Amino acid sequence: MSIEIANESGVPVDEASIVAAARFALDRMGVSPLAELSVLLVELDVMADLHQRWMDLPGPTDVMAFPMDELDSARRPDATGLGPALLGDIVLCPEFAKDQAKKAGHSLLDELHLLTVHGVLHLLGYDHAEPAEEREMFTLQNRILGDFRTATAEAQRASAQREADSKLLGAVGLEDSDETSGRPDPDA
């Protein structure tokens, strides 16, 4: 799965983490590994211009999704049997999202993860214009975010455990040296 990210917002963010959230959501939705996605982080004025131009609404917003391939509603990219697709672009505005994160009581990165998953779902044909659609989309969004947080926490715990194990083995002289492991020595 190809996910390109460009941060033109001037706000430093963990881009790899945003890509990881997008990849997790696409994987969870069963999207082809050949799919392509672009994520763009922009400044307030750029988002305001896009919001006005495409939604005819004044001022900036947090996230916009621009699907690329024409998809009929019966064959969303998360449907089985679909091949590669250029899904489209997700545009995020970190400066706008900062206030939302503060009001929600979580970090900017958590808010950007939420907005990324939200954008992915829009690209896959989900919407929240009607109450039933909103329930479906937000339930799915919350489930994906919860699973992403759990998977991320597990990966961090496993990494910390490997590091602790390595230090302990090194302290007692049993570390797995690159020579004995068959791995190339990165310092050579």
Side-chain angles (χ1 to χ4, degrees):
M1 192 166 304
S2 172
I3 301 174
E4 300 292 325
I5 187 166
N7 186 354
E8 299 174 2
S9 70
V11 176
V13 298
D14 182 352
E15 295 171 19
S17 184
I18 293 170
V19 169
R23 185 175 314 282
F24 188 90
L26 292 168
D27 287 345
R28 187 54 51 106
M29 296 303 296
V31 174
S32 168
L34 300 175
E36 296 178 19
L37 171 68
S38 172
V39 180
L40 178 63
L41 289 79
V42 299
E43 296 176 332
L44 283 168
D45 59 335
V46 173
M47 185 60 99
D49 180 56
L50 291 170
H51 201 214
Q52 181 67 51
R53 186 179 321 156
W54 295 100
M55 303 296 291
D56 203 24
L57 295 169
T61 189
D62 51 5
V63 59
M64 294 184 73
F66 297 95
M68 293 303 228
D69 283 347
E70 233 4 84
L71 304 166
D72 68 49
S73 59
R75 289 192 39 158
R76 296 193 314 211
D78 56 334
T80 58
L82 288 181
L86 179 58
L87 296 177
D89 302 319
I90 297 171
V91 182
L92 304 172
C93 185
E95 191 65 37
F96 192 91
K98 277 183 183 180
D99 290 334
Q100 291 179 168
K102 185 181 271 189
K103 289 176 188 171
H106 56 236
S107 71
L108 173 59
L109 189 58
D110 285 339
E111 185 70 14
L112 292 173
H113 289 157
L114 182 150
L115 297 173
T116 299
V117 171
H118 189 86
V120 165
L121 292 176
H122 273 307
L123 291 178
L124 297 179
Y126 289 87
D127 202 357
H128 47 85
E130 301 296 324
E133 292 175 334
E134 182 177 348
R135 269 190 310 280
E136 177 187 18
M137 183 175 180
F138 282 79
T139 297
L140 185 55
Q141 174 182 290
N142 291 338
R143 186 177 322 125
I144 291 169
L145 280 170
D147 292 348
F148 175 70
R149 288 183 191 117
T150 299
T152 300
E154 286 297 321
Q156 289 170 344
R157 274 192 290 279
S159 177
Q161 185 63 54
R162 280 190 302 277
E163 186 175 319
D165 291 348
S166 180
K167 284 181 183 177
L168 177 63
L169 291 171
V172 296
L174 297 174
E175 77 267 13
D176 185 22
S177 73
D178 292 326
E179 248 175 48
T180 61
S181 71
R183 291 188 302 262
D185 183 354
D187 297 324

